Amino acid sequence: METMFASLTSSGITVSSFLICSLVALLCGALIAFTYTRRTRFTQSLVLAVILLPFAVQTVIMLVNGNVGTGVAVAGAFGLVRFRSAPGNAKDISVIFVAMAVGLACGSGYIALSVLFTVIACAVLYLLVFFHIGADRSGEKELSITIPESLDYTEVFDDIFKEYTTHAELTEVKTASLGSLYKLHYRVHLADDRNEKEFLDALRCRNGNLEVRCGQPHTPVEQL
């Protein structure tokens, strides 16, 4: 069992060892990318990067081959690279780090270890996404209501909120259409999500069928 986790390149780099490491790196990268695209948003550029990154890192590690000076030079070269695309979120960066770790393992010749690590990382990633670990389950919604200036917005919807919500908080008021309209923004918790349409219909009847919007609360884009 221990020999399975021995380095394939411990006795030197050969053409066969390079091809085996490269193939495993590409397959592991493809598996990570495939898992990442399940039940989550993704872009083609990120998928291609995750597939190729283990192979690229593996090749660099093989070229360094334990030479500290070369390793420092390569690290400095990579430090000069600036990504011109929009910054990724924390999940994207985490997947990139996983792909880099696989490339490091393959470049060091630890084929079995890289495959085992990939399988465990993909399984954990899929389960975390599948069970919505860390997702916001507070049930809070952001409500926007447009009313004519003739309505007093301070108490006009209190009875509707009392019937359909457990909590409603007015967070912002602003005027529109040269002051002829008011736009009200609330944070609400619905008592029963199944009554959302009935709730919106009641609001439309009260505000003269002007615009009513209800959705998930706006949160800043997560970046690293």
Side-chain angles (χ1 to χ4, degrees):
M1 178 64 70
E2 293 181 357
T3 57
M4 292 179 58
F5 294 95
S7 175
L8 187 67
T9 59
S10 57
S11 58
I13 302 174
T14 62
V15 174
S16 60
S17 63
F18 174 78
L19 292 177
I20 292 173
C21 292
S22 299
L23 179 61
V24 172
L26 289 171
L27 291 176
C28 289
L31 179 59
I32 295 171
F34 176 79
T35 305
Y36 181 74
T37 58
R38 302 301 93 186
R39 297 176 176 268
T40 187
R41 295 180 179 179
F42 62 93
T43 61
Q44 183 186 28
S45 60
L46 179 62
V47 172
L48 297 179
V50 172
I51 294 175
L52 293 175
L53 190 57
F55 171 65
V57 173
Q58 166 245 316
T59 303
V60 171
I61 295 302
M62 282 188 165
L63 291 174
V64 172
N65 197 22
N67 190 311
V68 178
T70 307
V72 173
V74 171
F78 274 110
L80 296 177
V81 177
R82 298 291 301 273
F83 291 97
R84 300 299 180 182
S85 58
N89 57 39
K91 185 166 58 177
D92 295 343
I93 302 300
S94 300
V95 172
I96 289 176
F97 274 121
V98 170
M100 291 180 64
V102 171
L104 288 171
C106 289
S108 301
Y110 295 99
I111 301 302
L113 180 61
S114 63
V115 173
L116 180 61
F117 171 72
T118 300
V119 171
I120 295 175
C122 290
V124 172
L125 175 62
Y126 183 82
L127 290 175
L128 291 176
V129 175
F130 182 81
F131 290 106
H132 304 287
I133 303 300
D136 183 12
R137 299 187 179 185
S138 62
E140 186 177 66
K141 291 184 178 291
E142 190 173 82
L143 179 67
S144 176
I145 309 175
T146 302
I147 64 172
E149 62 176 340
S150 57
L151 285 181
D152 182 7
Y153 60 82
T154 55
E155 299 179 352
V156 65
F157 301 114
D158 285 359
D159 57 329
I160 299 177
F161 289 149
K162 184 177 181 180
E163 180 179 357
Y164 292 99
T165 70
T166 58
H167 172 75
E169 178 185 2
L170 180 63
T171 59
E172 183 183 16
V173 179
K174 65 179 182 179
T175 60
S177 299
L178 300 177
S180 61
L181 299 174
Y182 283 93
K183 289 186 177 291
L184 314 178
H185 297 275
Y186 294 87
R187 294 271 183 154
V188 300
H189 284 81
L190 294 179
D192 189 344
D193 289 337
R194 294 173 296 181
N195 295 331
E196 182 174 341
K197 182 180 184 304
E198 186 178 340
F199 172 56
L200 297 180
D201 288 341
L203 294 175
R204 289 194 305 110
C205 292
R206 187 67 57 86
N207 77 335
N209 206 29
L210 294 175
E211 182 184 70
V212 177
R213 292 187 299 169
C214 184
Q216 297 300 321
H218 175 72
T219 55
V221 178
E222 51 177 337
Q223 296 180 359
L224 284 182

